[in-house]
Amino acid sequence: EDSADAAKWAEAAKAWGELRVALSRSPKKQPVYYEIVYSTAVCLAGQARSSQAAAQEAEFKKQALSLLKGTLALAPALSGPDMVARYNTLIEQLK
């Protein structure tokens, strides 16, 4: 991936992150919240893949893993078994 891809991943991660923060304020999480968290993590994984520096790649992976694992810890069932499986698959890919 080139620097244009890296910029697109960064832009997408920022947009998803802003949505995630806005929806995180709600005491009752809607299913779309868990989809947004997942999409944010996918963008962070994309940033990791397109990083030129190993330290940068590791940091993006760490952020994505923290986001996924933290959300799973707070809501182990998420929005259902399919979403739990998607989170777990992405976690394994990031390791």
Side-chain angles (χ1 to χ4, degrees):
E1 297 182 35
D2 61 19
S3 61
D5 286 335
K8 288 177 186 173
W9 282 120
E11 193 176 308
K14 182 178 184 290
W16 283 118
E18 289 170 356
L19 270 175
R20 181 183 58 81
V21 169
L23 288 179
S24 70
R25 296 186 183 109
S26 171
K28 170 110 174 74
K29 305 294 185 268
Q30 299 298 317
V32 70
Y33 173 77
Y34 302 110
E35 186 72 43
I36 289 169
V37 170
Y38 179 82
S39 295
T40 305
V42 166
C43 291
L44 289 167
Q47 284 183 281
R49 283 193 309 276
S50 62
S51 292
Q52 301 301 313
Q56 212 178 18
E57 178 183 359
E59 182 57 32
F60 286 128
K61 284 183 176 182
K62 179 180 165 189
Q63 289 175 19
L65 284 167
S66 175
L67 186 58
L68 294 167
K69 289 179 177 181
T71 304
L72 270 170
L74 293 173
L78 300 174
S79 58
D82 289 346
M83 186 58 70
V84 172
R86 289 172 66 196
Y87 272 51
N88 287 328
T89 298
L90 187 52
I91 287 168
E92 286 305 310
Q93 291 172 355
L94 288 164
K95 288 182 177 176

